[in-house]
Amino acid sequence: MSHSTADALRSVTLDDVRGAQKMLAGVARVTAMEGSRHLSQLVGAPVHLKCENLQRTGSFKLRGAYVRIAGLLPEERAAGVVAASAGNHAQGVALASALLGVHATVFMPVGAPLPKISATREYGAEVRLHGQVVDETLAAAQEYAEKTGAVFIHPFDHPDIIAGQGTVGLEILDQCPEVGTIVVGMGGGGLAAGIAVAVKALRPDVRIVGVQAAGAAAYPPSLAAGRPVSVENPATMADGIKVGRPGDVPFGIVAELVDEVRTVTEDQLSAALLLCLERAKLVVEPAGASPVAALLGDPGAFPGPVVAVLYGGNVDPVLLQRVLRHGMAAQGRYLAVRLRLTDRPGALATLLGVLSVVDANVLDVSHVRTDPRLGLTEAEVELHLETKGPAHCAEVGQALREAGYTVID
């Protein structure tokens, strides 16, 4: 064990997590744990969903934020707190501050979803929009802290934050004492580190698996290097785990106590979100669905019983619409096609008749006649279709070709 790793482990203990649990009594909900028959059949062992998407503010972030702010000295509270976040941490800090009577200023990116901005304001925080990406927003918040004396509340890189998030682990052991594997999404690593501290102290045999989006996976190279390293331009729809560099404190804990870190694709994230909505009747953001994505990607790799932590449900409705469509496309249940036809009366009706024969449900039709690329007697049609799977998509394509249509890539 390296010196830094040993220091990280000493910085957060089981007693800290238990203390945080007492502090959070009556503040954070003990969230439900729901069984999933579909995932259990897929994995070949019981699978339970830990529903932190149903936590107050819509994610686990309230736990760590409250513990951190509650631990401030009176003079620190008087100076107020400041945070930077695109959503979940912002709302956690805003509500925690309101409950504790502390003024909160939250910096959010200019492009943050409007529902998250509105919710943060409604919880009582002063919201300032700055920067296009979270790194710019973070720098602005830290500069504000230096100028005003407000206490900067980091989203994951502080022992109090990690202790608060670790209370999820204690609840898992209470609700599912026989758990064999806990699967949890990872950005900076605060939640995974906290769960690992709590669970490994009481049940060292439990396997803990962290999950990162492949386009924002800073932990695999960091673990290989033995220190936190940055990934440039992290890109994923899962903004809750879109972090370019692990936190120093959680990294040491993760390196020692988390058994494995896996990555998932955008298609797997979309499919997981869709599964949570359709099968579990739970609205989950892409980051929160990352553990389910890992189960879908390699169901035989997780000794049961399995607990998947759905850590957030704050998904922008516009993004939800896009992600659901993406998930349906990945499963062969949604198909978008463009083709050209002769611009004459009845041509569109004929095309729709072909689709009706193969039972493809038309969701949307876009009909273009005036594009310079088109010939004088041509029209271009873009169709959005609901289909029944990959085989049905192939059948639709075959029917269009047999009817004489050329599909445009």
Side-chain angles (χ1 to χ4, degrees), residues 51-70:
C51 300
E52 281 297 292
N53 59 309
L54 303 180
Q55 183 57 261
R56 295 178 73 181
T57 74
S59 88
F60 71 96
K61 290 286 190 177
L62 171 65
R63 298 174 184 262
Y66 187 90
V67 172
R68 173 77 173 99
I69 297 170

Side-chain angles (χ1 to χ4, degrees), residues 237 265-274 296 322-336 387-391 393:
M237 71 176 78
T265 67
E266 300 298 284
D267 282 352
Q268 288 170 334
L269 286 168
S270 298
L273 189 149
L274 185 60
L296 294 177
R322 292 194 347 243
V323 171
L324 290 178
R325 183 171 291 182
H326 188 83
M328 291 177 68
Q331 293 183 356
R333 296 170 51 195
Y334 177 88
L335 182 64
T387 49
K388 302 174 184 178
C393 290

Side-chain angles (χ1 to χ4, degrees), residues 137-148:
T137 309
L138 189 65
Q142 290 171 325
E143 182 181 352
Y144 177 89
E146 292 172 2
K147 287 183 177 179
T148 65

Side-chain angles (χ1 to χ4, degrees), residues 17 37 42 56 116 143 171 289 323 344 368 370 377 396:
V17 180
R37 182 183 304 174
L42 187 69
R56 295 178 73 181
K116 294 185 178 183
E143 182 181 352
E171 290 178 18
V323 171
R344 57 178 174 78
V368 178
T370 56
T377 60
V396 171

Side-chain angles (χ1 to χ4, degrees), residues 169-385:
L170 294 181
E171 290 178 18
I172 290 173
L173 292 181
D174 182 56
Q175 293 169 312
C176 184
E178 70 280 11
V179 61
T181 304
I182 297 172
V183 191
V184 56
M186 291 175 60
L191 177 61
I195 289 175
V197 167
V199 172
K200 290 291 190 178
L202 296 168
R203 284 279 311 281
D205 58 303
V206 174
R207 185 170 180 79
I208 298 178
V209 179
V211 182
Q212 294 208 285
Y219 263 94
S222 296
L223 291 169
R227 59 180 174 79
V229 298
S230 300
V231 293
E232 292 186 6
N233 303 317
T236 175
M237 71 176 78
D239 57 353
I241 53 176
K242 186 180 175 182
V243 176
R245 182 185 184 278
D248 292 330
V249 180
F251 175 79
I253 297 171
V254 168
E256 183 66 20
L257 298 181
V258 172
D259 296 280
E260 181 185 7
V261 176
R262 288 175 167 254
T263 61
V264 292
T265 67
E266 300 298 284
D267 282 352
Q268 288 170 334
L269 286 168
S270 298
L273 189 149
L274 185 60
L275 184 145
C276 289
L277 187 63
E278 288 190 325
R279 297 299 184 101
K281 315 306 177 192
L282 292 168
V283 176
V284 181
E285 62 188 271
S290 58
V292 175
L295 297 181
L296 294 177
D298 191 3
F302 304 92
V306 177
V307 173
V309 182
L310 307 181
Y311 84 18
N314 293 318
V315 56
D316 178 45
V318 176
L319 175 63
L320 179 62
Q321 183 181 38
R322 292 194 347 243
V323 171
L324 290 178
R325 183 171 291 182
H326 188 83
M328 291 177 68
Q331 293 183 356
R333 296 170 51 195
Y334 177 88
L335 182 64
V337 294
R338 284 193 305 130
L339 47 83
R340 289 181 184 175
L341 44 73
T342 302
D343 188 13
R344 57 178 174 78
L348 183 58
T350 300
L351 170 60
L352 297 179
V354 173
L355 297 171
S356 176
V357 169
V358 292
D359 201 25
N361 183 31
V362 179
L363 302 174
D364 188 33
V365 178
S366 176
H367 198 190
V368 178
R369 289 188 174 92
T370 56
D371 194 294
R373 297 170 300 170
L374 298 174
L376 187 62
T377 60
E378 287 183 321
E380 185 175 289
V381 175
E382 182 173 347
L383 299 157
H384 293 230
L385 310 173

